[in-house]
Amino acid sequence: MGVVSDPCARSWIGRPSSAWVGLALVCLALSCQAQPADEGGGATGETTESAADAGEPNQAPAAPSLASPADQALEVPVVSELCWTPAEDPKGDELGYRVWVDGVELANGETGEYGFTTTCTGPLNLLGERSYSWRVRAFERDDPTVESPDSETWTFTTGWEGDTKVLLFDDFSEDRGWTVSGDAQSGAWVRGVPQQVYDLDAELAQPGACQAGQCWYTGDNPGGTLGEADVDGGAVVLTSPPFDPSDATSISVSLARFFYRSDLVPTGVSLELALLVPDPDQAEGVTVHVLDKLDGGVGASPQNLWTSVAFAACGIELVPDTRLRITATDLVVPEAVFVEAAIDEVLVEGYLDSDVCSQGLGALCDPAAPEAACGADLLCCAQGPIFDGVYRCDYPVAELGDLPPVEQGGPLFGPLGCDAPDLTVLDWDLEVYTQLIWVAPDSCSLYEGCVDGDGWRTVLRFDTKTANVGSRDLILGIPANHPDLFTYSPCHEHYHFDNYATYYLLDGDDVVAAGHKQAFCLVDWESWAWDGLGPEDRVYTCFNQGLSLGWSDTYAAQLDCQWIDVTDVPAGDYTLRMEINLPPEGKSHSTLVERRYDNNVLEIPVVVD
């Protein structure tokens, strides 16, 4: 590894204080997480040699027993903790515990160490109506290589929260019974990961990745050739498995979609989203309710970025065995127009106590024309921590802004807006400097694209301080809630939070170098709004992520990859541009929901010497 490496790859509870006190501080800022155990794995329980025992075999502790939530428990609250009974060690050594949820280890972000010293995790924020699996392993705190076998793996399912209930959700990570049909000559729907294709104008004609993981897309095109296996000469149809909305008062359908057409205005080219409602009086046994249709004509616009959208299904009969249908059509002379489509993360929700089709509080709304649903007094606000295209009418609330109340939890007096977090980049006391570092050929810095080459490199180091100045906390919870937001790094042996912050070095308007935040967590680090709050007041950590109102996530200049490689940049005056939570490449919107996005960029003058 290079001089600047990942120091938290092997940080454990129980490491002698002289070895880890300084290291723990670095690891907390790095927000590190251990590599998940192999599928079905667990420690073997082989004996190891402890220095304290002068060569005598040190027997591994027994496997812990899980306690709560009970195995296969239902309706578990969305804020719960995981608990287990203490494991026994043959010599009575102090033990720590490693915990995995859905195969992802929970890293103890409060201390920068792996594992827990207690037999409960503390409160975790979980998703409603979601099934989780979990297991625990014990280890000796004085010698963490001495581990128990894994506990049993238990499962539990959370209850629903609020006024919505999931009727159908599919991220297409596995086959859940969608059917493919249609009469087109080519372009049939395929589940997997598409091959990136650009047209002659350098416009994206087919995405090179799904919204998250796998998706359905039209026409497998392994060669990446424009017009190869696109939709031609008819329609390609994708139909969902049935779902039952009969207990709901109204329903909504949301999904991520991509739609490319080489000509915006031809007739006979479209992407249609429709509900198929059983109706024995119809010839085909269903009534077709079109929720949305992208086609040609006046007002047509490109849709060739991943875009999350949502629609209320109004004026339909809510009966069992309803299905969703997505149809891509090209009836133009083959080869005259290129048509590609893709869909991902389909969600159908039922509203049990409210009608999203009625005007007023809670109604589903269009942010481009909010008054139709919200009237003059309500705002059209995006829902949830992760943007999924759903907007509902809500009352305006004050934000924290630049004038926090005297005490945490006091009334807010900032401008009115949607009730949501608001992330911004602080320029307070930023440390910016250049440094010469040595990068080994096998370093993580090189492997993960933090530098442009090995050997001696000059980097511009700087702090990134992200503050929440909105009206409420940003709550992400455990990493398993949103696996699409994290990428596992085999080099660092932990997960990284993707597409959160990017950095550019500008000479005027020209980008001369770039970098990115290579971090795992978004966590409470320090309170910028109230004095006297310390580590014991943090709510969100590596294992239960988020950012409290009035707190900031600080990524210090001295950390690995917190830089821009300026080795080949001439000395001189430049502008450092930091961007947080802007739309990732290939997507039309930001990942995290905020009140506003016009304060997500900070530019400061810097000198490269």
Side-chain angles (χ1 to χ4, degrees), residues 266-299:
T267 58
V269 175
S270 64
L271 179 65
E272 180 187 88
L273 173 66
L275 283 171
L276 306 181
V277 179
D279 185 347
D281 295 330
Q282 299 297 318
E284 297 183 3
V286 297
T287 298
V288 178
H289 293 272
V290 177
L291 300 178
D292 184 52
K293 189 171 186 178
L294 297 174
D295 55 13
V298 178

PDB file of all heavy atoms in Angstrom, residues 266-299:
ATOM      1  N   PRO A 266     -42.095  11.594 -34.622  1.00  0.00           N
ATOM      2  CA  PRO A 266     -42.819  10.670 -35.505  1.00  0.00           C
ATOM      3  C   PRO A 266     -44.059  10.118 -34.823  1.00  0.00           C
ATOM      4  O   PRO A 266     -44.115  10.018 -33.595  1.00  0.00           O
ATOM      5  CB  PRO A 266     -41.806   9.564 -35.758  1.00  0.00           C
ATOM      6  CG  PRO A 266     -40.987   9.545 -34.517  1.00  0.00           C
ATOM      7  CD  PRO A 266     -40.872  10.980 -34.084  1.00  0.00           C
ATOM      8  N   THR A 267     -45.051   9.767 -35.602  1.00  0.00           N
ATOM      9  CA  THR A 267     -46.178   9.024 -35.049  1.00  0.00           C
ATOM     10  C   THR A 267     -45.778   7.565 -34.956  1.00  0.00           C
ATOM     11  O   THR A 267     -44.914   7.088 -35.685  1.00  0.00           O
ATOM     12  CB  THR A 267     -47.403   9.170 -35.952  1.00  0.00           C
ATOM     13  OG1 THR A 267     -47.082   8.694 -37.262  1.00  0.00           O
ATOM     14  CG2 THR A 267     -47.833  10.623 -36.026  1.00  0.00           C
ATOM     15  N   GLY A 268     -46.413   6.852 -34.046  1.00  0.00           N
ATOM     16  CA  GLY A 268     -46.144   5.423 -33.937  1.00  0.00           C
ATOM     17  C   GLY A 268     -44.958   5.067 -33.084  1.00  0.00           C
ATOM     18  O   GLY A 268     -44.536   3.910 -33.065  1.00  0.00           O
ATOM     19  N   VAL A 269     -44.395   6.029 -32.350  1.00  0.00           N
ATOM     20  CA  VAL A 269     -43.284   5.763 -31.433  1.00  0.00           C
ATOM     21  C   VAL A 269     -43.721   6.187 -30.037  1.00  0.00           C
ATOM     22  O   VAL A 269     -44.112   7.341 -29.835  1.00  0.00           O
ATOM     23  CB  VAL A 269     -42.012   6.519 -31.841  1.00  0.00           C
ATOM     24  CG1 VAL A 269     -40.916   6.323 -30.792  1.00  0.00           C
ATOM     25  CG2 VAL A 269     -41.520   6.046 -33.196  1.00  0.00           C
ATOM     26  N   SER A 270     -43.657   5.270 -29.056  1.00  0.00           N
ATOM     27  CA  SER A 270     -44.142   5.624 -27.718  1.00  0.00           C
ATOM     28  C   SER A 270     -43.613   4.662 -26.667  1.00  0.00           C
ATOM     29  O   SER A 270     -43.162   3.555 -26.977  1.00  0.00           O
ATOM     30  CB  SER A 270     -45.673   5.615 -27.680  1.00  0.00           C
ATOM     31  OG  SER A 270     -46.174   4.311 -27.914  1.00  0.00           O
ATOM     32  N   LEU A 271     -43.699   5.133 -25.421  1.00  0.00           N
ATOM     33  CA  LEU A 271     -43.496   4.287 -24.244  1.00  0.00           C
ATOM     34  C   LEU A 271     -44.696   4.525 -23.341  1.00  0.00           C
ATOM     35  O   LEU A 271     -44.924   5.647 -22.881  1.00  0.00           O
ATOM     36  CB  LEU A 271     -42.206   4.651 -23.513  1.00  0.00           C
ATOM     37  CG  LEU A 271     -41.925   3.834 -22.247  1.00  0.00           C
ATOM     38  CD1 LEU A 271     -41.694   2.364 -22.580  1.00  0.00           C
ATOM     39  CD2 LEU A 271     -40.730   4.397 -21.476  1.00  0.00           C
ATOM     40  N   GLU A 272     -45.467   3.459 -23.095  1.00  0.00           N
ATOM     41  CA  GLU A 272     -46.737   3.590 -22.381  1.00  0.00           C
ATOM     42  C   GLU A 272     -46.714   2.794 -21.087  1.00  0.00           C
ATOM     43  O   GLU A 272     -46.246   1.655 -21.036  1.00  0.00           O
ATOM     44  CB  GLU A 272     -47.879   3.089 -23.267  1.00  0.00           C
ATOM     45  CG  GLU A 272     -49.255   3.176 -22.613  1.00  0.00           C
ATOM     46  CD  GLU A 272     -50.328   2.510 -23.454  1.00  0.00           C
ATOM     47  OE1 GLU A 272     -50.527   1.285 -23.293  1.00  0.00           O
ATOM     48  OE2 GLU A 272     -50.934   3.206 -24.278  1.00  0.00           O
ATOM     49  N   LEU A 273     -47.254   3.416 -20.047  1.00  0.00           N
ATOM     50  CA  LEU A 273     -47.448   2.768 -18.753  1.00  0.00           C
ATOM     51  C   LEU A 273     -48.942   2.671 -18.501  1.00  0.00           C
ATOM     52  O   LEU A 273     -49.654   3.680 -18.542  1.00  0.00           O
ATOM     53  CB  LEU A 273     -46.775   3.593 -17.656  1.00  0.00           C
ATOM     54  CG  LEU A 273     -47.021   3.164 -16.206  1.00  0.00           C
ATOM     55  CD1 LEU A 273     -46.400   1.813 -15.927  1.00  0.00           C
ATOM     56  CD2 LEU A 273     -46.463   4.216 -15.239  1.00  0.00           C
ATOM     57  N   ALA A 274     -49.441   1.458 -18.237  1.00  0.00           N
ATOM     58  CA  ALA A 274     -50.884   1.262 -18.069  1.00  0.00           C
ATOM     59  C   ALA A 274     -51.169   0.221 -17.003  1.00  0.00           C
ATOM     60  O   ALA A 274     -50.343  -0.660 -16.729  1.00  0.00           O
ATOM     61  CB  ALA A 274     -51.513   0.836 -19.389  1.00  0.00           C
ATOM     62  N   LEU A 275     -52.335   0.343 -16.387  1.00  0.00           N
ATOM     63  CA  LEU A 275     -52.847  -0.671 -15.470  1.00  0.00           C
ATOM     64  C   LEU A 275     -53.864  -1.535 -16.198  1.00  0.00           C
ATOM     65  O   LEU A 275     -54.708  -1.027 -16.944  1.00  0.00           O
ATOM     66  CB  LEU A 275     -53.500  -0.024 -14.262  1.00  0.00           C
ATOM     67  CG  LEU A 275     -52.579   0.544 -13.186  1.00  0.00           C
ATOM     68  CD1 LEU A 275     -53.374   1.348 -12.175  1.00  0.00           C
ATOM     69  CD2 LEU A 275     -51.805  -0.562 -12.490  1.00  0.00           C
ATOM     70  N   LEU A 276     -53.775  -2.841 -15.959  1.00  0.00           N
ATOM     71  CA  LEU A 276     -54.735  -3.789 -16.511  1.00  0.00           C
ATOM     72  C   LEU A 276     -55.646  -4.227 -15.371  1.00  0.00           C
ATOM     73  O   LEU A 276     -55.236  -4.964 -14.465  1.00  0.00           O
ATOM     74  CB  LEU A 276     -54.024  -4.991 -17.124  1.00  0.00           C
ATOM     75  CG  LEU A 276     -52.953  -4.680 -18.182  1.00  0.00           C
ATOM     76  CD1 LEU A 276     -52.353  -5.986 -18.726  1.00  0.00           C
ATOM     77  CD2 LEU A 276     -53.532  -3.837 -19.305  1.00  0.00           C
ATOM     78  N   VAL A 277     -56.879  -3.740 -15.398  1.00  0.00           N
ATOM     79  CA  VAL A 277     -57.830  -4.013 -14.326  1.00  0.00           C
ATOM     80  C   VAL A 277     -58.819  -5.085 -14.793  1.00  0.00           C
ATOM     81  O   VAL A 277     -59.473  -4.911 -15.830  1.00  0.00           O
ATOM     82  CB  VAL A 277     -58.594  -2.738 -13.933  1.00  0.00           C
ATOM     83  CG1 VAL A 277     -59.605  -3.032 -12.829  1.00  0.00           C
ATOM     84  CG2 VAL A 277     -57.611  -1.649 -13.493  1.00  0.00           C
ATOM     85  N   PRO A 278     -58.940  -6.209 -14.070  1.00  0.00           N
ATOM     86  CA  PRO A 278     -59.873  -7.266 -14.497  1.00  0.00           C
ATOM     87  C   PRO A 278     -61.288  -6.743 -14.681  1.00  0.00           C
ATOM     88  O   PRO A 278     -61.817  -6.004 -13.836  1.00  0.00           O
ATOM     89  CB  PRO A 278     -59.793  -8.271 -13.336  1.00  0.00           C
ATOM     90  CG  PRO A 278     -58.444  -8.065 -12.745  1.00  0.00           C
ATOM     91  CD  PRO A 278     -58.177  -6.593 -12.864  1.00  0.00           C
ATOM     92  N   ASP A 279     -61.885  -7.118 -15.822  1.00  0.00           N
ATOM     93  CA  ASP A 279     -63.246  -6.697 -16.144  1.00  0.00           C
ATOM     94  C   ASP A 279     -63.859  -7.760 -17.055  1.00  0.00           C
ATOM     95  O   ASP A 279     -63.551  -7.816 -18.241  1.00  0.00           O
ATOM     96  CB  ASP A 279     -63.244  -5.340 -16.829  1.00  0.00           C
ATOM     97  CG  ASP A 279     -64.652  -4.797 -17.068  1.00  0.00           C
ATOM     98  OD1 ASP A 279     -65.631  -5.561 -16.935  1.00  0.00           O
ATOM     99  OD2 ASP A 279     -64.777  -3.603 -17.391  1.00  0.00           O
ATOM    100  N   PRO A 280     -64.711  -8.637 -16.523  1.00  0.00           N
ATOM    101  CA  PRO A 280     -65.263  -9.730 -17.326  1.00  0.00           C
ATOM    102  C   PRO A 280     -66.130  -9.248 -18.493  1.00  0.00           C
ATOM    103  O   PRO A 280     -66.386 -10.019 -19.416  1.00  0.00           O
ATOM    104  CB  PRO A 280     -66.079 -10.543 -16.316  1.00  0.00           C
ATOM    105  CG  PRO A 280     -66.381  -9.588 -15.211  1.00  0.00           C
ATOM    106  CD  PRO A 280     -65.212  -8.671 -15.138  1.00  0.00           C
ATOM    107  N   ASP A 281     -66.549  -8.000 -18.472  1.00  0.00           N
ATOM    108  CA  ASP A 281     -67.397  -7.507 -19.549  1.00  0.00           C
ATOM    109  C   ASP A 281     -66.596  -7.067 -20.779  1.00  0.00           C
ATOM    110  O   ASP A 281     -67.191  -6.786 -21.817  1.00  0.00           O
ATOM    111  CB  ASP A 281     -68.237  -6.319 -19.055  1.00  0.00           C
ATOM    112  CG  ASP A 281     -69.224  -6.736 -17.967  1.00  0.00           C
ATOM    113  OD1 ASP A 281     -69.655  -7.904 -17.994  1.00  0.00           O
ATOM    114  OD2 ASP A 281     -69.532  -5.898 -17.098  1.00  0.00           O
ATOM    115  N   GLN A 282     -65.274  -6.998 -20.640  1.00  0.00           N
ATOM    116  CA  GLN A 282     -64.439  -6.609 -21.771  1.00  0.00           C
ATOM    117  C   GLN A 282     -63.995  -7.843 -22.551  1.00  0.00           C
ATOM    118  O   GLN A 282     -63.873  -8.939 -21.995  1.00  0.00           O
ATOM    119  CB  GLN A 282     -63.213  -5.830 -21.284  1.00  0.00           C
ATOM    120  CG  GLN A 282     -63.561  -4.535 -20.558  1.00  0.00           C
ATOM    121  CD  GLN A 282     -64.281  -3.552 -21.461  1.00  0.00           C
ATOM    122  OE1 GLN A 282     -63.923  -3.365 -22.627  1.00  0.00           O
ATOM    123  NE2 GLN A 282     -65.326  -2.923 -20.919  1.00  0.00           N
ATOM    124  N   ALA A 283     -63.706  -7.627 -23.828  1.00  0.00           N
ATOM    125  CA  ALA A 283     -63.372  -8.747 -24.712  1.00  0.00           C
ATOM    126  C   ALA A 283     -62.151  -9.517 -24.227  1.00  0.00           C
ATOM    127  O   ALA A 283     -62.123 -10.751 -24.252  1.00  0.00           O
ATOM    128  CB  ALA A 283     -63.144  -8.230 -26.134  1.00  0.00           C
ATOM    129  N   GLU A 284     -61.120  -8.801 -23.768  1.00  0.00           N
ATOM    130  CA  GLU A 284     -59.901  -9.467 -23.304  1.00  0.00           C
ATOM    131  C   GLU A 284     -59.886  -9.651 -21.789  1.00  0.00           C
ATOM    132  O   GLU A 284     -58.872 -10.056 -21.226  1.00  0.00           O
ATOM    133  CB  GLU A 284     -58.673  -8.681 -23.758  1.00  0.00           C
ATOM    134  CG  GLU A 284     -58.544  -8.613 -25.292  1.00  0.00           C
ATOM    135  CD  GLU A 284     -57.277  -7.903 -25.716  1.00  0.00           C
ATOM    136  OE1 GLU A 284     -56.469  -7.524 -24.828  1.00  0.00           O
ATOM    137  OE2 GLU A 284     -57.082  -7.728 -26.928  1.00  0.00           O
ATOM    138  N   GLY A 285     -61.004  -9.367 -21.140  1.00  0.00           N
ATOM    139  CA  GLY A 285     -61.123  -9.600 -19.703  1.00  0.00           C
ATOM    140  C   GLY A 285     -60.490  -8.538 -18.841  1.00  0.00           C
ATOM    141  O   GLY A 285     -60.419  -8.698 -17.614  1.00  0.00           O
ATOM    142  N   VAL A 286     -60.016  -7.431 -19.443  1.00  0.00           N
ATOM    143  CA  VAL A 286     -59.411  -6.356 -18.657  1.00  0.00           C
ATOM    144  C   VAL A 286     -59.814  -5.008 -19.240  1.00  0.00           C
ATOM    145  O   VAL A 286     -60.121  -4.886 -20.434  1.00  0.00           O
ATOM    146  CB  VAL A 286     -57.864  -6.445 -18.621  1.00  0.00           C
ATOM    147  CG1 VAL A 286     -57.400  -7.718 -17.935  1.00  0.00           C
ATOM    148  CG2 VAL A 286     -57.281  -6.319 -20.021  1.00  0.00           C
ATOM    149  N   THR A 287     -59.808  -4.002 -18.386  1.00  0.00           N
ATOM    150  CA  THR A 287     -59.906  -2.615 -18.824  1.00  0.00           C
ATOM    151  C   THR A 287     -58.524  -1.993 -18.714  1.00  0.00           C
ATOM    152  O   THR A 287     -57.854  -2.131 -17.676  1.00  0.00           O
ATOM    153  CB  THR A 287     -60.890  -1.829 -17.951  1.00  0.00           C
ATOM    154  OG1 THR A 287     -62.191  -2.398 -18.078  1.00  0.00           O
ATOM    155  CG2 THR A 287     -60.938  -0.368 -18.366  1.00  0.00           C
ATOM    156  N   VAL A 288     -58.087  -1.328 -19.775  1.00  0.00           N
ATOM    157  CA  VAL A 288     -56.753  -0.724 -19.804  1.00  0.00           C
ATOM    158  C   VAL A 288     -56.849   0.735 -19.388  1.00  0.00           C
ATOM    159  O   VAL A 288     -57.566   1.525 -20.012  1.00  0.00           O
ATOM    160  CB  VAL A 288     -56.123  -0.835 -21.209  1.00  0.00           C
ATOM    161  CG1 VAL A 288     -54.760  -0.157 -21.226  1.00  0.00           C
ATOM    162  CG2 VAL A 288     -56.024  -2.293 -21.630  1.00  0.00           C
ATOM    163  N   HIS A 289     -56.155   1.097 -18.312  1.00  0.00           N
ATOM    164  CA  HIS A 289     -56.094   2.475 -17.838  1.00  0.00           C
ATOM    165  C   HIS A 289     -54.678   3.003 -18.071  1.00  0.00           C
ATOM    166  O   HIS A 289     -53.729   2.590 -17.391  1.00  0.00           O
ATOM    167  CB  HIS A 289     -56.442   2.555 -16.346  1.00  0.00           C
ATOM    168  CG  HIS A 289     -57.864   2.220 -16.040  1.00  0.00           C
ATOM    169  ND1 HIS A 289     -58.875   3.165 -16.051  1.00  0.00           N
ATOM    170  CD2 HIS A 289     -58.450   1.041 -15.731  1.00  0.00           C
ATOM    171  CE1 HIS A 289     -60.023   2.586 -15.750  1.00  0.00           C
ATOM    172  NE2 HIS A 289     -59.788   1.291 -15.544  1.00  0.00           N
ATOM    173  N   VAL A 290     -54.506   3.889 -19.034  1.00  0.00           N
ATOM    174  CA  VAL A 290     -53.188   4.448 -19.355  1.00  0.00           C
ATOM    175  C   VAL A 290     -52.840   5.517 -18.331  1.00  0.00           C
ATOM    176  O   VAL A 290     -53.584   6.500 -18.153  1.00  0.00           O
ATOM    177  CB  VAL A 290     -53.167   5.036 -20.771  1.00  0.00           C
ATOM    178  CG1 VAL A 290     -51.816   5.688 -21.060  1.00  0.00           C
ATOM    179  CG2 VAL A 290     -53.469   3.955 -21.803  1.00  0.00           C
ATOM    180  N   LEU A 291     -51.705   5.327 -17.649  1.00  0.00           N
ATOM    181  CA  LEU A 291     -51.248   6.289 -16.650  1.00  0.00           C
ATOM    182  C   LEU A 291     -50.324   7.337 -17.252  1.00  0.00           C
ATOM    183  O   LEU A 291     -50.294   8.484 -16.802  1.00  0.00           O
ATOM    184  CB  LEU A 291     -50.518   5.563 -15.515  1.00  0.00           C
ATOM    185  CG  LEU A 291     -51.329   4.526 -14.738  1.00  0.00           C
ATOM    186  CD1 LEU A 291     -50.447   3.864 -13.687  1.00  0.00           C
ATOM    187  CD2 LEU A 291     -52.551   5.155 -14.097  1.00  0.00           C
ATOM    188  N   ASP A 292     -49.550   6.930 -18.265  1.00  0.00           N
ATOM    189  CA  ASP A 292     -48.593   7.853 -18.868  1.00  0.00           C
ATOM    190  C   ASP A 292     -48.201   7.319 -20.240  1.00  0.00           C
ATOM    191  O   ASP A 292     -48.147   6.100 -20.454  1.00  0.00           O
ATOM    192  CB  ASP A 292     -47.342   7.975 -17.993  1.00  0.00           C
ATOM    193  CG  ASP A 292     -46.342   8.991 -18.528  1.00  0.00           C
ATOM    194  OD1 ASP A 292     -46.750  10.135 -18.783  1.00  0.00           O
ATOM    195  OD2 ASP A 292     -45.165   8.632 -18.683  1.00  0.00           O
ATOM    196  N   LYS A 293     -47.931   8.242 -21.167  1.00  0.00           N
ATOM    197  CA  LYS A 293     -47.508   7.835 -22.494  1.00  0.00           C
ATOM    198  C   LYS A 293     -46.567   8.880 -23.067  1.00  0.00           C
ATOM    199  O   LYS A 293     -46.947  10.048 -23.242  1.00  0.00           O
ATOM    200  CB  LYS A 293     -48.706   7.640 -23.424  1.00  0.00           C
ATOM    201  CG  LYS A 293     -48.345   7.011 -24.765  1.00  0.00           C
ATOM    202  CD  LYS A 293     -49.599   6.643 -25.547  1.00  0.00           C
ATOM    203  CE  LYS A 293     -49.249   5.884 -26.832  1.00  0.00           C
ATOM    204  NZ  LYS A 293     -50.465   5.474 -27.579  1.00  0.00           N
ATOM    205  N   LEU A 294     -45.330   8.474 -23.315  1.00  0.00           N
ATOM    206  CA  LEU A 294     -44.370   9.320 -23.994  1.00  0.00           C
ATOM    207  C   LEU A 294     -44.464   9.026 -25.481  1.00  0.00           C
ATOM    208  O   LEU A 294     -44.266   7.890 -25.904  1.00  0.00           O
ATOM    209  CB  LEU A 294     -42.942   9.020 -23.499  1.00  0.00           C
ATOM    210  CG  LEU A 294     -42.650   9.288 -22.022  1.00  0.00           C
ATOM    211  CD1 LEU A 294     -41.254   8.806 -21.670  1.00  0.00           C
ATOM    212  CD2 LEU A 294     -42.815  10.748 -21.688  1.00  0.00           C
ATOM    213  N   ASP A 295     -44.761  10.077 -26.264  1.00  0.00           N
ATOM    214  CA  ASP A 295     -44.877   9.867 -27.702  1.00  0.00           C
ATOM    215  C   ASP A 295     -44.422  11.126 -28.417  1.00  0.00           C
ATOM    216  O   ASP A 295     -43.865  12.051 -27.816  1.00  0.00           O
ATOM    217  CB  ASP A 295     -46.297   9.466 -28.106  1.00  0.00           C
ATOM    218  CG  ASP A 295     -47.351  10.454 -27.634  1.00  0.00           C
ATOM    219  OD1 ASP A 295     -46.970  11.565 -27.208  1.00  0.00           O
ATOM    220  OD2 ASP A 295     -48.542  10.113 -27.665  1.00  0.00           O
ATOM    221  N   GLY A 296     -44.676  11.190 -29.715  1.00  0.00           N
ATOM    222  CA  GLY A 296     -44.250  12.345 -30.486  1.00  0.00           C
ATOM    223  C   GLY A 296     -45.237  13.482 -30.370  1.00  0.00           C
ATOM    224  O   GLY A 296     -46.132  13.492 -29.527  1.00  0.00           O
ATOM    225  N   GLY A 297     -45.051  14.466 -31.206  1.00  0.00           N
ATOM    226  CA  GLY A 297     -45.975  15.582 -31.226  1.00  0.00           C
ATOM    227  C   GLY A 297     -45.441  16.803 -30.527  1.00  0.00           C
ATOM    228  O   GLY A 297     -44.310  16.836 -30.021  1.00  0.00           O
ATOM    229  N   VAL A 298     -46.253  17.847 -30.492  1.00  0.00           N
ATOM    230  CA  VAL A 298     -45.857  19.106 -29.881  1.00  0.00           C
ATOM    231  C   VAL A 298     -45.521  18.889 -28.396  1.00  0.00           C
ATOM    232  O   VAL A 298     -46.258  18.236 -27.674  1.00  0.00           O
ATOM    233  CB  VAL A 298     -46.977  20.150 -30.021  1.00  0.00           C
ATOM    234  CG1 VAL A 298     -46.580  21.459 -29.334  1.00  0.00           C
ATOM    235  CG2 VAL A 298     -47.290  20.385 -31.494  1.00  0.00           C
ATOM    236  N   GLY A 299     -44.412  19.441 -27.965  1.00  0.00           N
ATOM    237  CA  GLY A 299     -44.014  19.329 -26.565  1.00  0.00           C
ATOM    238  C   GLY A 299     -43.170  18.118 -26.257  1.00  0.00           C
ATOM    239  O   GLY A 299     -42.753  17.932 -25.114  1.00  0.00           O
TER     240      GLY A 299
END
